[in-house]
Amino acid sequence: MVMIRRGPEEVLLARSPRFPQGMYSALAGFVEPGETLEQCLEREVLEEVGVRVENVRYFASQPWPFRIR
């Protein structure tokens, strides 16, 4: 899962044609064998929404599934 920011107030969200009106999604994907996380991010974002990213910064990881509170 990735958060793409443009400036301090904009984030990139995706929208599938089958989503209900007003529903958006964060971008996510799978790492291919031999691929770094940064390469995966660049490839997945380009494949999903056609946007080239730069200034990639790794923040943290979370084992799946996310914790239920």
Side-chain angles (χ1 to χ4, degrees):
M1 182 174 277
V2 64
M3 182 175 75
I4 307 293
R5 297 185 324 173
R6 183 171 64 182
E9 297 183 12
E10 294 180 304
V11 296
L12 177 64
L13 297 174
R15 178 155 167 55
S16 172
R18 65 179 183 269
F19 284 176
Q21 182 70 23
M23 182 179 183
Y24 296 88
S25 173
L27 300 172
F30 295 94
V31 180
E32 298 290 340
E35 189 176 50
T36 67
L37 293 176
E38 292 83 1
Q39 291 167 333
C40 173
L41 179 145
E42 292 171 1
R43 178 185 51 76
E44 285 286 346
V45 172
L46 186 60
E47 288 176 2
E48 295 281 333
V49 294
V51 172
R52 293 193 185 275
V53 295
E54 54 186 44
N55 301 324
V56 176
R57 185 178 67 119
Y58 178 83
F59 178 72
S61 64
Q62 168 68 44
W64 199 263
F66 292 107
R67 292 186 209 165
I68 299 173
R69 295 179 192 238

Short mmCIF file of all heavy atoms in Angstrom, two decimals:
data_model
loop_
_atom_site.label_atom_id
_atom_site.label_comp_id
_atom_site.label_asym_id
_atom_site.label_seq_id
_atom_site.Cartn_x
_atom_site.Cartn_y
_atom_site.Cartn_z
N MET A 1 0.86 -1.16 0.00
CA MET A 1 0.00 0.00 0.00
C MET A 1 0.90 1.23 0.00
O MET A 1 1.94 1.23 0.64
CB MET A 1 -0.89 -0.01 1.23
CG MET A 1 -1.85 1.13 1.28
SD MET A 1 -3.00 0.99 2.65
CE MET A 1 -4.20 -0.08 1.92
N VAL A 2 0.49 2.24 -0.71
CA VAL A 2 1.34 3.41 -0.87
C VAL A 2 0.51 4.68 -0.80
O VAL A 2 -0.67 4.68 -1.15
CB VAL A 2 2.10 3.32 -2.21
CG1 VAL A 2 1.15 3.35 -3.37
CG2 VAL A 2 3.13 4.41 -2.35
N MET A 3 1.12 5.74 -0.30
CA MET A 3 0.49 7.06 -0.34
C MET A 3 1.35 7.95 -1.22
O MET A 3 2.53 8.15 -0.96
CB MET A 3 0.39 7.67 1.05
CG MET A 3 -0.30 9.03 1.01
SD MET A 3 -0.59 9.78 2.62
CE MET A 3 1.04 10.34 3.05
N ILE A 4 0.76 8.47 -2.28
CA ILE A 4 1.44 9.37 -3.20
C ILE A 4 0.97 10.78 -2.88
O ILE A 4 -0.23 11.06 -2.93
CB ILE A 4 1.11 9.05 -4.67
CG1 ILE A 4 1.38 7.57 -4.99
CG2 ILE A 4 1.84 9.99 -5.61
CD1 ILE A 4 2.81 7.19 -4.95
N ARG A 5 1.91 11.65 -2.52
CA ARG A 5 1.56 13.03 -2.18
C ARG A 5 2.07 13.98 -3.25
O ARG A 5 3.11 13.77 -3.86
CB ARG A 5 2.18 13.44 -0.85
CG ARG A 5 1.68 12.65 0.30
CD ARG A 5 2.20 13.13 1.62
NE ARG A 5 3.58 13.63 1.55
CZ ARG A 5 4.19 14.21 2.55
NH1 ARG A 5 3.58 14.39 3.69
NH2 ARG A 5 5.43 14.62 2.42
N ARG A 6 1.32 15.05 -3.45
CA ARG A 6 1.78 16.18 -4.26
C ARG A 6 1.55 17.41 -3.40
O ARG A 6 0.41 17.83 -3.19
CB ARG A 6 1.02 16.28 -5.58
CG ARG A 6 1.55 17.43 -6.44
CD ARG A 6 0.98 17.43 -7.82
NE ARG A 6 -0.45 17.65 -7.78
CZ ARG A 6 -1.22 17.66 -8.86
NH1 ARG A 6 -0.70 17.44 -10.04
NH2 ARG A 6 -2.51 17.86 -8.77
N GLY A 7 2.65 17.91 -2.88
CA GLY A 7 2.53 19.05 -1.96
C GLY A 7 1.98 18.59 -0.62
O GLY A 7 1.75 17.41 -0.39
N PRO A 8 1.73 19.54 0.25
CA PRO A 8 1.28 19.18 1.60
C PRO A 8 -0.20 18.82 1.71
O PRO A 8 -0.62 18.27 2.71
CB PRO A 8 1.59 20.44 2.42
CG PRO A 8 1.50 21.55 1.42
CD PRO A 8 2.00 20.97 0.12
N GLU A 9 -1.01 19.11 0.67
CA GLU A 9 -2.45 18.93 0.82
C GLU A 9 -3.11 17.99 -0.18
O GLU A 9 -4.32 17.83 -0.15
CB GLU A 9 -3.13 20.30 0.74
CG GLU A 9 -2.71 21.22 1.87
CD GLU A 9 -3.43 22.55 1.83
OE1 GLU A 9 -4.41 22.69 1.08
OE2 GLU A 9 -3.01 23.44 2.57
N GLU A 10 -2.33 17.36 -1.07
CA GLU A 10 -2.93 16.49 -2.08
C GLU A 10 -2.37 15.07 -1.99
O GLU A 10 -1.17 14.90 -1.85
CB GLU A 10 -2.69 17.03 -3.49
CG GLU A 10 -3.38 18.33 -3.77
CD GLU A 10 -3.11 18.81 -5.18
OE1 GLU A 10 -1.92 18.96 -5.55
OE2 GLU A 10 -4.09 19.02 -5.92
N VAL A 11 -3.25 14.07 -2.08
CA VAL A 11 -2.84 12.67 -2.17
C VAL A 11 -3.54 12.04 -3.38
O VAL A 11 -4.62 12.47 -3.78
CB VAL A 11 -3.18 11.86 -0.89
CG1 VAL A 11 -2.41 12.37 0.30
CG2 VAL A 11 -4.65 11.83 -0.62
N LEU A 12 -2.89 11.03 -3.96
CA LEU A 12 -3.44 10.35 -5.12
C LEU A 12 -4.29 9.17 -4.66
O LEU A 12 -3.82 8.30 -3.93
CB LEU A 12 -2.30 9.86 -6.02
CG LEU A 12 -2.71 9.05 -7.25
CD1 LEU A 12 -3.53 9.92 -8.21
CD2 LEU A 12 -1.48 8.51 -7.94
N LEU A 13 -5.55 9.14 -5.08
CA LEU A 13 -6.45 8.02 -4.82
C LEU A 13 -6.90 7.46 -6.15
O LEU A 13 -6.98 8.17 -7.15
CB LEU A 13 -7.66 8.48 -4.01
CG LEU A 13 -7.37 9.02 -2.61
CD1 LEU A 13 -8.65 9.57 -1.99
CD2 LEU A 13 -6.78 7.93 -1.73
N ALA A 14 -7.20 6.17 -6.17
CA ALA A 14 -7.66 5.51 -7.40
C ALA A 14 -9.17 5.30 -7.32
O ALA A 14 -9.77 5.30 -6.25
CB ALA A 14 -6.96 4.18 -7.56
N ARG A 15 -9.76 5.14 -8.51
CA ARG A 15 -11.20 4.89 -8.58
C ARG A 15 -11.47 3.88 -9.68
O ARG A 15 -11.07 4.07 -10.81
CB ARG A 15 -11.93 6.19 -8.89
CG ARG A 15 -13.42 5.99 -9.03
CD ARG A 15 -14.18 7.26 -8.74
NE ARG A 15 -15.56 7.21 -9.14
CZ ARG A 15 -16.45 6.30 -8.77
NH1 ARG A 15 -16.09 5.32 -8.00
NH2 ARG A 15 -17.69 6.34 -9.18
N SER A 16 -12.12 2.80 -9.34
CA SER A 16 -12.51 1.78 -10.31
C SER A 16 -13.90 2.12 -10.86
O SER A 16 -14.75 2.62 -10.11
CB SER A 16 -12.56 0.41 -9.64
OG SER A 16 -13.11 -0.56 -10.50
N PRO A 17 -14.15 1.85 -12.13
CA PRO A 17 -15.49 2.11 -12.68
C PRO A 17 -16.60 1.34 -11.95
O PRO A 17 -17.74 1.77 -11.94
CB PRO A 17 -15.38 1.64 -14.13
CG PRO A 17 -13.93 1.63 -14.44
CD PRO A 17 -13.22 1.37 -13.15
N ARG A 18 -16.26 0.23 -11.32
CA ARG A 18 -17.28 -0.56 -10.61
C ARG A 18 -17.53 -0.09 -9.19
O ARG A 18 -18.42 -0.61 -8.51
CB ARG A 18 -16.93 -2.04 -10.66
CG ARG A 18 -15.69 -2.40 -9.92
CD ARG A 18 -15.41 -3.91 -9.99
NE ARG A 18 -14.24 -4.24 -9.23
CZ ARG A 18 -13.00 -4.28 -9.70
NH1 ARG A 18 -12.79 -4.02 -10.96
NH2 ARG A 18 -12.00 -4.59 -8.94
N PHE A 19 -16.75 0.88 -8.68
CA PHE A 19 -16.95 1.41 -7.34
C PHE A 19 -18.26 2.19 -7.28
O PHE A 19 -18.64 2.85 -8.25
CB PHE A 19 -15.83 2.37 -6.94
CG PHE A 19 -14.53 1.71 -6.56
CD1 PHE A 19 -13.43 2.50 -6.27
CD2 PHE A 19 -14.38 0.34 -6.48
CE1 PHE A 19 -12.22 1.93 -5.92
CE2 PHE A 19 -13.18 -0.24 -6.13
CZ PHE A 19 -12.09 0.56 -5.84
N PRO A 20 -18.93 2.18 -6.13
CA PRO A 20 -20.09 3.05 -5.95
C PRO A 20 -19.67 4.51 -6.04
O PRO A 20 -18.50 4.85 -5.79
CB PRO A 20 -20.57 2.72 -4.54
CG PRO A 20 -19.95 1.43 -4.17
CD PRO A 20 -18.68 1.33 -4.96
N GLN A 21 -20.58 5.38 -6.35
CA GLN A 21 -20.32 6.82 -6.44
C GLN A 21 -19.65 7.31 -5.16
O GLN A 21 -20.08 7.00 -4.07
CB GLN A 21 -21.64 7.56 -6.66
CG GLN A 21 -21.50 9.06 -6.83
CD GLN A 21 -20.84 9.42 -8.15
OE1 GLN A 21 -20.86 8.67 -9.10
NE2 GLN A 21 -20.24 10.58 -8.19
N GLY A 22 -18.57 8.06 -5.30
CA GLY A 22 -17.89 8.66 -4.17
C GLY A 22 -16.88 7.76 -3.47
O GLY A 22 -16.27 8.17 -2.49
N MET A 23 -16.71 6.53 -3.94
CA MET A 23 -15.76 5.60 -3.31
C MET A 23 -14.42 5.65 -4.04
O MET A 23 -14.38 5.58 -5.26
CB MET A 23 -16.30 4.18 -3.33
CG MET A 23 -15.40 3.17 -2.67
SD MET A 23 -16.19 1.55 -2.75
CE MET A 23 -15.03 0.59 -1.85
N TYR A 24 -13.33 5.77 -3.28
CA TYR A 24 -11.97 5.80 -3.82
C TYR A 24 -11.11 4.83 -3.03
O TYR A 24 -11.49 4.36 -1.97
CB TYR A 24 -11.40 7.22 -3.72
CG TYR A 24 -12.16 8.21 -4.55
CD1 TYR A 24 -13.26 8.88 -4.03
CD2 TYR A 24 -11.80 8.46 -5.86
CE1 TYR A 24 -13.97 9.78 -4.80
CE2 TYR A 24 -12.51 9.37 -6.63
CZ TYR A 24 -13.60 10.02 -6.09
OH TYR A 24 -14.31 10.89 -6.85
N SER A 25 -9.91 4.55 -3.54
CA SER A 25 -9.03 3.58 -2.91
C SER A 25 -7.59 4.06 -2.92
O SER A 25 -7.17 4.76 -3.84
CB SER A 25 -9.13 2.26 -3.68
OG SER A 25 -8.18 1.33 -3.21
N ALA A 26 -6.84 3.64 -1.91
CA ALA A 26 -5.39 3.82 -1.94
C ALA A 26 -4.83 2.82 -2.95
O ALA A 26 -5.49 1.85 -3.32
CB ALA A 26 -4.80 3.57 -0.56
N LEU A 27 -3.60 3.03 -3.41
CA LEU A 27 -2.96 2.12 -4.35
C LEU A 27 -2.21 1.03 -3.58
O LEU A 27 -1.64 1.29 -2.54
CB LEU A 27 -2.00 2.87 -5.25
CG LEU A 27 -2.64 3.97 -6.10
CD1 LEU A 27 -1.57 4.77 -6.81
CD2 LEU A 27 -3.60 3.39 -7.10
N ALA A 28 -2.22 -0.17 -4.14
CA ALA A 28 -1.51 -1.30 -3.52
C ALA A 28 -1.13 -2.28 -4.61
O ALA A 28 -1.67 -2.25 -5.71
CB ALA A 28 -2.38 -1.97 -2.47
N GLY A 29 -0.19 -3.16 -4.30
CA GLY A 29 0.22 -4.15 -5.29
C GLY A 29 1.08 -5.22 -4.66
O GLY A 29 1.18 -5.32 -3.45
N PHE A 30 1.72 -6.01 -5.53
CA PHE A 30 2.55 -7.12 -5.09
C PHE A 30 3.97 -6.94 -5.60
O PHE A 30 4.18 -6.54 -6.73
CB PHE A 30 1.99 -8.44 -5.59
CG PHE A 30 0.64 -8.76 -5.01
CD1 PHE A 30 -0.52 -8.42 -5.68
CD2 PHE A 30 0.54 -9.39 -3.78
CE1 PHE A 30 -1.75 -8.70 -5.15
CE2 PHE A 30 -0.70 -9.68 -3.23
CZ PHE A 30 -1.85 -9.34 -3.92
N VAL A 31 4.94 -7.28 -4.76
CA VAL A 31 6.34 -7.21 -5.14
C VAL A 31 6.68 -8.44 -5.97
O VAL A 31 6.37 -9.56 -5.59
CB VAL A 31 7.25 -7.16 -3.88
CG1 VAL A 31 8.71 -7.08 -4.27
CG2 VAL A 31 6.87 -5.99 -3.00
N GLU A 32 7.31 -8.21 -7.11
CA GLU A 32 7.76 -9.30 -7.97
C GLU A 32 9.09 -9.84 -7.46
O GLU A 32 9.86 -9.10 -6.83
CB GLU A 32 7.93 -8.80 -9.42
CG GLU A 32 6.66 -8.29 -10.07
CD GLU A 32 5.66 -9.40 -10.36
OE1 GLU A 32 6.06 -10.58 -10.42
OE2 GLU A 32 4.47 -9.08 -10.52
N PRO A 33 9.40 -11.12 -7.71
CA PRO A 33 10.69 -11.67 -7.29
C PRO A 33 11.86 -10.85 -7.85
O PRO A 33 11.85 -10.48 -9.03
CB PRO A 33 10.70 -13.08 -7.89
CG PRO A 33 9.26 -13.42 -8.06
CD PRO A 33 8.57 -12.12 -8.37
N GLY A 34 12.83 -10.52 -7.00
CA GLY A 34 14.00 -9.76 -7.41
C GLY A 34 13.80 -8.26 -7.49
O GLY A 34 14.70 -7.52 -7.84
N GLU A 35 12.61 -7.78 -7.15
CA GLU A 35 12.27 -6.37 -7.24
C GLU A 35 12.40 -5.72 -5.87
O GLU A 35 12.00 -6.30 -4.86
CB GLU A 35 10.82 -6.27 -7.74
CG GLU A 35 10.32 -4.91 -8.09
CD GLU A 35 8.91 -4.98 -8.66
OE1 GLU A 35 8.02 -5.62 -8.07
OE2 GLU A 35 8.70 -4.39 -9.71
N THR A 36 12.95 -4.50 -5.80
CA THR A 36 12.98 -3.78 -4.52
C THR A 36 11.60 -3.18 -4.26
O THR A 36 10.77 -3.06 -5.17
CB THR A 36 14.02 -2.65 -4.54
OG1 THR A 36 13.58 -1.64 -5.47
CG2 THR A 36 15.40 -3.15 -4.90
N LEU A 37 11.36 -2.78 -3.03
CA LEU A 37 10.08 -2.14 -2.71
C LEU A 37 9.90 -0.84 -3.49
O LEU A 37 8.80 -0.52 -3.94
CB LEU A 37 9.98 -1.87 -1.21
CG LEU A 37 9.92 -3.11 -0.32
CD1 LEU A 37 9.93 -2.70 1.15
CD2 LEU A 37 8.72 -3.96 -0.65
N GLU A 38 11.00 -0.10 -3.67
CA GLU A 38 10.93 1.15 -4.43
C GLU A 38 10.59 0.88 -5.89
O GLU A 38 9.78 1.59 -6.49
CB GLU A 38 12.25 1.91 -4.31
CG GLU A 38 12.54 2.43 -2.91
CD GLU A 38 13.17 1.39 -1.97
OE1 GLU A 38 13.42 0.24 -2.39
OE2 GLU A 38 13.39 1.74 -0.80
N GLN A 39 11.21 -0.15 -6.49
CA GLN A 39 10.89 -0.51 -7.88
C GLN A 39 9.44 -0.96 -8.00
O GLN A 39 8.75 -0.62 -8.97
CB GLN A 39 11.82 -1.63 -8.36
CG GLN A 39 13.25 -1.18 -8.54
CD GLN A 39 14.20 -2.36 -8.72
OE1 GLN A 39 13.95 -3.47 -8.24
NE2 GLN A 39 15.31 -2.12 -9.41
N CYS A 40 8.97 -1.71 -7.01
CA CYS A 40 7.58 -2.16 -7.01
C CYS A 40 6.63 -0.96 -6.98
O CYS A 40 5.67 -0.91 -7.74
CB CYS A 40 7.33 -3.05 -5.80
SG CYS A 40 5.60 -3.50 -5.57
N LEU A 41 6.91 -0.01 -6.12
CA LEU A 41 6.07 1.18 -6.02
C LEU A 41 6.01 1.91 -7.36
O LEU A 41 4.92 2.24 -7.84
CB LEU A 41 6.63 2.11 -4.94
CG LEU A 41 5.88 3.40 -4.72
CD1 LEU A 41 5.92 3.78 -3.27
CD2 LEU A 41 6.43 4.52 -5.57
N GLU A 42 7.16 2.14 -7.97
CA GLU A 42 7.19 2.85 -9.25
C GLU A 42 6.41 2.10 -10.32
O GLU A 42 5.63 2.69 -11.07
CB GLU A 42 8.64 3.06 -9.68
CG GLU A 42 9.39 4.04 -8.80
CD GLU A 42 10.88 4.09 -9.08
OE1 GLU A 42 11.35 3.39 -10.00
OE2 GLU A 42 11.57 4.86 -8.39
N ARG A 43 6.59 0.77 -10.40
CA ARG A 43 5.91 -0.04 -11.41
C ARG A 43 4.40 -0.09 -11.17
O ARG A 43 3.60 0.13 -12.08
CB ARG A 43 6.48 -1.47 -11.39
CG ARG A 43 5.80 -2.41 -12.37
CD ARG A 43 6.29 -3.82 -12.25
NE ARG A 43 6.26 -4.36 -10.90
CZ ARG A 43 5.16 -4.76 -10.26
NH1 ARG A 43 3.98 -4.69 -10.86
NH2 ARG A 43 5.23 -5.24 -9.04
N GLU A 44 4.00 -0.36 -9.93
CA GLU A 44 2.57 -0.50 -9.63
C GLU A 44 1.81 0.81 -9.87
O GLU A 44 0.72 0.80 -10.43
CB GLU A 44 2.36 -0.96 -8.19
CG GLU A 44 2.66 -2.42 -7.95
CD GLU A 44 1.61 -3.36 -8.51
OE1 GLU A 44 0.50 -2.91 -8.86
OE2 GLU A 44 1.91 -4.57 -8.59
N VAL A 45 2.37 1.93 -9.45
CA VAL A 45 1.69 3.22 -9.65
C VAL A 45 1.57 3.52 -11.14
O VAL A 45 0.51 3.94 -11.61
CB VAL A 45 2.41 4.35 -8.89
CG1 VAL A 45 1.81 5.71 -9.25
CG2 VAL A 45 2.32 4.12 -7.39
N LEU A 46 2.62 3.26 -11.90
CA LEU A 46 2.57 3.48 -13.34
C LEU A 46 1.53 2.58 -13.99
O LEU A 46 0.74 3.03 -14.82
CB LEU A 46 3.95 3.26 -13.97
CG LEU A 46 4.08 3.60 -15.45
CD1 LEU A 46 3.76 5.08 -15.70
CD2 LEU A 46 5.48 3.27 -15.95
N GLU A 47 1.49 1.31 -13.60
CA GLU A 47 0.51 0.37 -14.15
C GLU A 47 -0.92 0.75 -13.78
O GLU A 47 -1.83 0.68 -14.60
CB GLU A 47 0.78 -1.05 -13.66
CG GLU A 47 1.99 -1.71 -14.26
CD GLU A 47 2.27 -3.08 -13.66
OE1 GLU A 47 1.49 -3.54 -12.79
OE2 GLU A 47 3.28 -3.69 -14.06
N GLU A 48 -1.13 1.12 -12.52
CA GLU A 48 -2.48 1.39 -12.03
C GLU A 48 -3.07 2.70 -12.53
O GLU A 48 -4.24 2.74 -12.89
CB GLU A 48 -2.50 1.38 -10.49
CG GLU A 48 -2.18 0.05 -9.86
CD GLU A 48 -3.35 -0.90 -9.87
OE1 GLU A 48 -4.50 -0.43 -9.89
OE2 GLU A 48 -3.11 -2.12 -9.87
N VAL A 49 -2.29 3.77 -12.48
CA VAL A 49 -2.85 5.08 -12.80
C VAL A 49 -2.06 5.88 -13.82
O VAL A 49 -2.40 7.01 -14.13
CB VAL A 49 -3.05 5.94 -11.51
CG1 VAL A 49 -4.11 5.33 -10.61
CG2 VAL A 49 -1.75 6.13 -10.77
N GLY A 50 -0.95 5.32 -14.34
CA GLY A 50 -0.19 6.01 -15.38
C GLY A 50 0.62 7.20 -14.89
O GLY A 50 0.94 8.09 -15.67
N VAL A 51 0.97 7.22 -13.61
CA VAL A 51 1.73 8.33 -13.03
C VAL A 51 3.14 7.86 -12.70
O VAL A 51 3.32 6.80 -12.09
CB VAL A 51 1.04 8.86 -11.75
CG1 VAL A 51 1.90 9.87 -11.03
CG2 VAL A 51 -0.32 9.44 -12.08
N ARG A 52 4.14 8.63 -13.11
CA ARG A 52 5.53 8.34 -12.74
C ARG A 52 5.82 9.04 -11.41
O ARG A 52 5.52 10.22 -11.25
CB ARG A 52 6.49 8.84 -13.82
CG ARG A 52 6.36 8.07 -15.10
CD ARG A 52 7.53 8.36 -16.03
NE ARG A 52 7.33 7.72 -17.30
CZ ARG A 52 7.65 6.45 -17.57
NH1 ARG A 52 8.18 5.71 -16.62
NH2 ARG A 52 7.44 5.93 -18.75
N VAL A 53 6.39 8.30 -10.48
CA VAL A 53 6.69 8.86 -9.16
C VAL A 53 8.18 9.14 -9.03
O VAL A 53 9.00 8.52 -9.70
CB VAL A 53 6.22 7.94 -8.02
CG1 VAL A 53 4.72 7.83 -8.01
CG2 VAL A 53 6.87 6.58 -8.11
N GLU A 54 8.52 10.07 -8.16
CA GLU A 54 9.91 10.38 -7.85
C GLU A 54 10.00 10.70 -6.36
O GLU A 54 8.98 10.84 -5.69
CB GLU A 54 10.42 11.55 -8.69
CG GLU A 54 9.57 12.79 -8.59
CD GLU A 54 10.02 13.88 -9.54
OE1 GLU A 54 10.30 13.57 -10.71
OE2 GLU A 54 10.06 15.03 -9.11
N ASN A 55 11.21 10.80 -5.87
CA ASN A 55 11.44 11.08 -4.44
C ASN A 55 10.77 10.05 -3.54
O ASN A 55 10.09 10.39 -2.58
CB ASN A 55 10.97 12.49 -4.07
CG ASN A 55 11.68 13.56 -4.87
OD1 ASN A 55 12.86 13.43 -5.17
ND2 ASN A 55 10.97 14.60 -5.24
N VAL A 56 10.95 8.77 -3.88
CA VAL A 56 10.36 7.68 -3.10
C VAL A 56 11.04 7.60 -1.75
O VAL A 56 12.27 7.63 -1.65
CB VAL A 56 10.51 6.33 -3.85
CG1 VAL A 56 10.00 5.20 -3.00
CG2 VAL A 56 9.79 6.39 -5.18
N ARG A 57 10.23 7.51 -0.69
CA ARG A 57 10.77 7.40 0.67
C ARG A 57 10.04 6.29 1.40
O ARG A 57 8.82 6.31 1.54
CB ARG A 57 10.58 8.71 1.43
CG ARG A 57 11.22 8.70 2.81
CD ARG A 57 11.05 10.02 3.50
NE ARG A 57 9.65 10.25 3.81
CZ ARG A 57 9.18 10.40 5.05
NH1 ARG A 57 9.98 10.36 6.07
NH2 ARG A 57 7.91 10.61 5.25
N TYR A 58 10.79 5.29 1.83
CA TYR A 58 10.23 4.18 2.61
C TYR A 58 9.91 4.69 4.00
O TYR A 58 10.74 5.32 4.65
CB TYR A 58 11.24 3.04 2.67
CG TYR A 58 10.77 1.87 3.48
CD1 TYR A 58 9.94 0.91 2.92
CD2 TYR A 58 11.14 1.73 4.80
CE1 TYR A 58 9.50 -0.17 3.67
CE2 TYR A 58 10.72 0.67 5.56
CZ TYR A 58 9.90 -0.28 5.00
OH TYR A 58 9.46 -1.33 5.74
N PHE A 59 8.69 4.41 4.48
CA PHE A 59 8.29 4.89 5.80
C PHE A 59 8.25 3.76 6.82
O PHE A 59 8.90 3.81 7.84
CB PHE A 59 6.93 5.60 5.71
CG PHE A 59 6.42 6.08 7.03
CD1 PHE A 59 7.00 7.16 7.67
CD2 PHE A 59 5.38 5.43 7.66
CE1 PHE A 59 6.55 7.59 8.90
CE2 PHE A 59 4.91 5.85 8.89
CZ PHE A 59 5.50 6.93 9.51
N ALA A 60 7.47 2.72 6.55
CA ALA A 60 7.33 1.62 7.50
C ALA A 60 6.66 0.43 6.82
O ALA A 60 6.14 0.56 5.72
CB ALA A 60 6.48 2.06 8.70
N SER A 61 6.66 -0.69 7.51
CA SER A 61 5.94 -1.85 6.99
C SER A 61 5.01 -2.38 8.07
O SER A 61 5.19 -2.12 9.26
CB SER A 61 6.92 -2.94 6.55
OG SER A 61 7.65 -3.42 7.66
N GLN A 62 4.01 -3.13 7.63
CA GLN A 62 3.02 -3.71 8.54
C GLN A 62 2.75 -5.13 8.09
O GLN A 62 2.37 -5.34 6.95
CB GLN A 62 1.73 -2.89 8.49
CG GLN A 62 0.54 -3.54 9.16
CD GLN A 62 0.69 -3.62 10.67
OE1 GLN A 62 1.11 -2.68 11.30
NE2 GLN A 62 0.36 -4.75 11.24
N PRO A 63 2.97 -6.12 8.93
CA PRO A 63 2.63 -7.48 8.54
C PRO A 63 1.13 -7.59 8.30
O PRO A 63 0.34 -6.94 8.97
CB PRO A 63 3.08 -8.33 9.72
CG PRO A 63 3.19 -7.41 10.87
CD PRO A 63 3.46 -6.05 10.30
N TRP A 64 0.76 -8.37 7.32
CA TRP A 64 -0.66 -8.54 6.99
C TRP A 64 -1.24 -9.61 7.87
O TRP A 64 -0.58 -10.59 8.13
CB TRP A 64 -0.80 -8.92 5.52
CG TRP A 64 -2.16 -8.66 5.02
CD1 TRP A 64 -3.17 -9.59 4.92
CD2 TRP A 64 -2.71 -7.43 4.58
NE1 TRP A 64 -4.30 -9.00 4.44
CE2 TRP A 64 -4.05 -7.67 4.23
CE3 TRP A 64 -2.22 -6.15 4.47
CZ2 TRP A 64 -4.89 -6.68 3.76
CZ3 TRP A 64 -3.06 -5.16 4.00
CH2 TRP A 64 -4.37 -5.44 3.65
N PRO A 65 -2.44 -9.56 8.36
CA PRO A 65 -3.39 -8.46 8.19
C PRO A 65 -3.15 -7.34 9.20
O PRO A 65 -2.44 -7.52 10.17
CB PRO A 65 -4.73 -9.13 8.44
CG PRO A 65 -4.43 -10.22 9.41
CD PRO A 65 -3.03 -10.69 9.07
N PHE A 66 -3.78 -6.19 8.93
CA PHE A 66 -3.70 -5.09 9.88
C PHE A 66 -4.38 -5.52 11.19
O PHE A 66 -5.32 -6.30 11.17
CB PHE A 66 -4.39 -3.83 9.32
CG PHE A 66 -3.66 -3.24 8.16
CD1 PHE A 66 -4.16 -3.37 6.88
CD2 PHE A 66 -2.45 -2.56 8.32
CE1 PHE A 66 -3.49 -2.83 5.80
CE2 PHE A 66 -1.78 -2.02 7.26
CZ PHE A 66 -2.30 -2.16 5.99
N ARG A 67 -3.89 -4.99 12.27
CA ARG A 67 -4.47 -5.33 13.56
C ARG A 67 -5.89 -4.80 13.69
O ARG A 67 -6.20 -3.72 13.23
CB ARG A 67 -3.65 -4.74 14.69
CG ARG A 67 -2.30 -5.36 14.82
CD ARG A 67 -1.62 -4.81 16.05
NE ARG A 67 -0.19 -4.85 15.79
CZ ARG A 67 0.70 -4.20 16.49
NH1 ARG A 67 0.34 -3.45 17.49
NH2 ARG A 67 1.97 -4.30 16.20
N ILE A 68 -6.74 -5.59 14.32
CA ILE A 68 -8.11 -5.16 14.61
C ILE A 68 -8.13 -4.61 16.03
O ILE A 68 -7.66 -5.25 16.95
CB ILE A 68 -9.10 -6.33 14.46
CG1 ILE A 68 -9.07 -6.85 13.03
CG2 ILE A 68 -10.50 -5.90 14.86
CD1 ILE A 68 -9.87 -8.11 12.82
N ARG A 69 -8.67 -3.45 16.19
CA ARG A 69 -8.70 -2.82 17.52
C ARG A 69 -10.06 -2.96 18.15
O ARG A 69 -11.04 -2.93 17.62
CB ARG A 69 -8.32 -1.35 17.43
CG ARG A 69 -6.90 -1.21 16.97
CD ARG A 69 -6.55 0.26 16.86
NE ARG A 69 -5.30 0.37 16.17
CZ ARG A 69 -4.24 0.96 16.67
NH1 ARG A 69 -4.28 1.49 17.86
NH2 ARG A 69 -3.14 1.04 15.99
#
